[in-house]
């Protein structure tokens, strides 16, 4: 098939640094497509989402007034299975951001060899501006507006920035009430009492810790003599920090929006409240507080950006002194920063592998929901360890055989699988 007459072209790559998630995702795809034997028409299809749904969400505020919010659900590719990905509540959510993040979900599911494709959605709102009752009304109405779009065999949302297990419980309840049957498999990341999986909440942070340990092992570094700085102390950052600390590493800095708690001799991370335990309390009892940007440039062995996207840029990548970067957040490194790290030989273990524990345990949750049988916490841990090891081995093999960056290696693994699936299914009709 020829691609000489594309009806829609990929957005041209931008030279500047102010990239959206979509621009970064497309540039990464274009670069990775050079590495694998893939039909250009498949690359052209993967450059665009399959569908983006935009909805209007009116809710009654507690004072009786009505506020109207905008929500999105972007579905990227479903060649390997139903769409899968989180819902975020954040003031900077845009349609393009959802598409970029949905693309990353497609690669993430393919790297992990999960039978899902990518999706992402969100509402343009600062959840801190809403009461709990308002957040519940917003979520229920959003679920109703997305009812035709989602479903356990179609598209399965999960928590992301600004949403949590309770959000998923409201979403599942609203969907189930309208469908007339309890449908736990419509979302993952629910509380375990209604079909959620044990270990789901901590899973992205656990996979970050597991992958950090595997990478240190690969570079023949000892965890016991490793120092770590973690940006962000939500579910991903806090769980990664606490596990690495438990396994013997020295976590010298962790941060939230107010700044970083820093102790060169190591912090007692178990006693620092996570965002869920007590929001924005990281620096409260700290002896030394650093600005968030300084955390990124600390002289540590491992840097884990686990807060928001685009924090490692052309401006600061040259000043990062860590020997290894492990991406806890989605898209923390811009393309220009990636190039600087590559030139400086600083390995960056990409988000689509490092934080993929979240969607992997989401897959376990979906299986448990379909089978109506809950797994033990131990079983979830064992299966997650096994899946992460399998994915790490596949990416490490690609890293060694192709002599590319870790990100390119992960993309090559994902694209090979997507390409094979697209070839086998062909183009309909
Ligand atoms: N929001 C998470 C992510 O970015 C999890 C998605 C899921 O479990 O479906 O990977």
């Amino acid at each position: 098939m020829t691609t000489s007459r594309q009806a829609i072209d990929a957005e041209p790559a931008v030279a500047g640094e102010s990239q959206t998630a979509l621009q970064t995702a497309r540039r990464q795809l274009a670069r990775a497509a050079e590495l694998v034997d893939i039909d250009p028409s498949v690359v052209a299809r993967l450059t665009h989402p399959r569908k983006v749904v935009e909805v209007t969400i009116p809710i009654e505020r507690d004072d009786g007034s009505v506020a109207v919010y905008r929500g999105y659900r972007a579905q990227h590719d479903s060649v390997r299975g139903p769409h899968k990905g989180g819902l975020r509540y954040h003031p900077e959510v845009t349609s393009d951001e959802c598409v970029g993040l949905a693309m990353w979900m497609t690669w993430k599911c393919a790297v992990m060899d999960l039978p899902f494709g990518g999706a992402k959605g969100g509402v343009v709102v600062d959840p801190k501006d809403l009461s709990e009752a308002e957040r519940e009304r917003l979520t229920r109405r959003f679920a109703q507006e997305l009812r035709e779009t989602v479903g356990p065999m179609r598209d399965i949302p999960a928590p992301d920035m600004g949403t949590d297990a309770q959000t998923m419980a409201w979403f599942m309840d609203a969907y189930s009430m309208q469908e007339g049957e309890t449908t736990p498999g419509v979302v993952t990341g629910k509380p375990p009492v209604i079909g959620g999986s044990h270990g789901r909440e901590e899973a992205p942070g656990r996979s970050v810790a597991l992958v950090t340990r595997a990478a240190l092992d690969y570079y023949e570094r000892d965890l016991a003599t490793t120092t770590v700085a973690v940006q962000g102390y939500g579910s991903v950052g806090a769980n990664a920090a606490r596990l690495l600390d438990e396994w013997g590493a020295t976590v010298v800095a962790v941060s939230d929006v107010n700044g970083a708690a820093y102790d060169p001799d190591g912090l007692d991370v178990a006693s620092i409240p996570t965002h869920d335990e007590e929001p924005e309390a990281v620096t409260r009892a700290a002896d030394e507080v650093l600005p968030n940007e300084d955390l990124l440039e600390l002289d540590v062995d491992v840097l884990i950006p686990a807060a928001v996207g685009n924090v490692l840029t052309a401006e600061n990548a040259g000043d990062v002194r860590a020997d290894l970067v492990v991406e806890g957040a989605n898209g923390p490194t811009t393309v220009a920063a990636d190039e600087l790290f590559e030139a400086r030989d600083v390995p960056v273990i990409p988000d689509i592998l490092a934080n993929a524990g979240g969607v992997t345990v989401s897959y376990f949750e979906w299986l448990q929901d379909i089978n109506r049988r809950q797994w033990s916490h131990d079983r979830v841990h064992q299966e997650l360890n096994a899946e992460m090891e399998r994915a790490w081995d596949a990416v490490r093999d690609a890293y060694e055989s192709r002599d590319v960056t870790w990100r390119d290696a992960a993309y090559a693994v994902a694209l090979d699988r997507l390409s094979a699936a697209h070839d086998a299914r062909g183009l309909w009709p």
Side-chain angles (χ1 to χ4, degrees):
M1 183 180 171
T2 173
T3 53
S4 58
R5 281 173 57 87
Q6 293 294 334
I8 38 176
D9 294 317
E11 235 172 81
V14 283
E17 261 282 271
S18 59
Q19 281 154 28
T20 63
L22 177 56
Q23 286 164 332
T24 304
R26 282 180 169 160
R27 290 176 76 172
Q28 290 169 345
L29 168 63
R31 178 179 155 127
E34 304 282 320
L35 299 172
V36 292
D37 180 20
I38 183 169
D39 180 342
S41 75
V42 171
V43 179
R45 288 172 70 183
L46 291 173
T47 303
H48 302 280
R50 181 175 170 200
K51 191 197 272 187
V52 184
V53 176
E54 178 179 330
V55 297
T56 299
I57 313 159
I59 64 157
E60 187 175 327
R61 301 290 309 256
D62 292 342
D63 65 5
S65 65
V66 172
V68 180
Y69 298 93
R70 176 165 302 158
Y72 301 99
R73 183 70 177 170
Q75 297 178 335
H76 176 238
D77 181 86
S78 63
V79 73
R80 291 169 45 88
H83 296 281
K84 187 86 194 77
L87 290 178
R88 54 174 59 176
Y89 291 175
H90 193 273
E92 274 150 39
V93 165
T94 63
S95 170
D96 273 7
E97 184 194 57
C98 291
V99 175
L101 291 161
M103 289 171 74
W104 284 326
M105 286 309 303
T106 301
W107 325 137
K108 202 182 283 190
C109 293
V111 171
M112 295 308 301
D113 214 0
L114 307 177
F116 290 133
K120 190 75 92 180
V123 179
V124 190
V125 63
D126 187 343
K128 282 185 275 183
D129 294 344
L130 301 183
S131 69
E132 193 182 353
E134 290 168 338
R135 285 201 298 275
E136 176 174 352
R137 290 197 287 279
L138 180 85
T139 304
R140 289 182 180 281
R141 183 62 187 248
F142 191 30
Q144 167 58 20
E145 298 303 334
L146 289 184
R147 196 147 68 88
E148 305 289 308
T149 306
V150 299
M153 297 300 153
R154 184 172 288 183
D155 183 354
I156 306 125
D160 201 87
M161 277 164 66
T163 57
D164 58 12
Q166 181 59 66
T167 321
M168 294 304 115
W170 293 324
F171 195 106
M172 176 276 219
D173 184 66
Y175 181 89
S176 298
M177 296 310 287
Q178 290 292 79
E179 291 291 309
E181 56 190 46
T182 294
T183 315
V186 67
V187 287
T188 58
K190 302 175 294 296
V193 285
I194 52 164
S197 179
H198 294 298
R200 170 63 184 82
E201 161 70 20
E202 74 210 50
R206 174 167 283 269
S207 70
V208 168
L210 288 168
V211 165
T212 303
R213 188 167 67 179
L216 287 168
D217 205 40
Y218 182 80
Y219 288 108
E220 294 174 356
R221 304 277 288 255
D222 187 0
L223 252 184
T225 56
T226 295
T227 54
V228 184
V230 182
Q231 187 189 49
Y233 213 56
S235 156
V236 185
N239 282 301
R242 285 178 176 179
L243 271 172
L244 288 168
D245 172 68
E246 216 176 289
W247 296 341
T250 306
V251 181
V252 299
V254 299
S255 72
D256 63 16
V257 285
N258 299 319
Y262 175 60
D263 185 342
D265 296 326
L267 297 161
D268 177 16
V269 281
S271 72
I272 300 176
T274 69
H275 183 79
D276 289 340
E277 287 160 1
E278 198 186 332
E280 298 180 21
V282 165
T283 53
R284 204 189 40 207
D287 290 332
E288 193 175 347
V289 176
L290 301 176
N292 241 308
E293 312 77 67
D294 292 11
L295 176 146
L296 298 172
E297 296 171 16
L298 284 173
D299 190 6
V300 287
D301 298 308
V302 182
L303 172 64
I304 302 179
V308 290
N310 284 344
V311 293
L312 296 171
T313 65
E315 274 73 60
N316 63 7
D319 298 321
V320 167
R321 281 181 286 169
D323 298 332
L324 173 71
V325 178
V326 181
E327 295 184 328
N330 289 319
T333 312
T334 65
V335 172
D338 241 352
E339 282 163 8
L340 283 169
F341 286 132
E342 187 181 358
R344 290 181 50 213
D345 271 336
V346 178
V348 179
I349 311 295
D351 46 7
I352 59 169
L353 172 66
N355 71 26
V359 73
T360 302
V361 177
S362 276
Y363 168 56
F364 299 161
E365 180 170 332
W366 183 73
L367 292 176
Q368 293 168 68
D369 290 339
I370 289 170
N371 291 309
R372 297 288 200 268
R373 183 112 176 104
Q374 197 161 46
W375 298 5
S376 69
H377 213 135
D378 267 0
R379 178 169 174 197
V380 171
H381 278 177
Q382 275 167 23
E383 302 238 7
L384 177 61
N385 286 358
E387 295 295 339
M388 292 312 304
E389 209 175 295
R390 213 153 63 95
W392 169 264
D393 288 350
V395 173
R396 187 211 46 221
D397 287 352
Y399 175 77
E400 286 178 346
S401 64
R402 293 171 184 272
D403 194 20
V404 290
T405 65
W406 287 97
R407 191 185 312 283
D408 286 339
Y411 267 72
V413 170
L415 277 186
D416 267 341
R417 291 177 179 157
L418 284 155
S419 163
H422 272 287
D423 282 352
R425 281 184 63 168
L427 185 61
W428 187 89

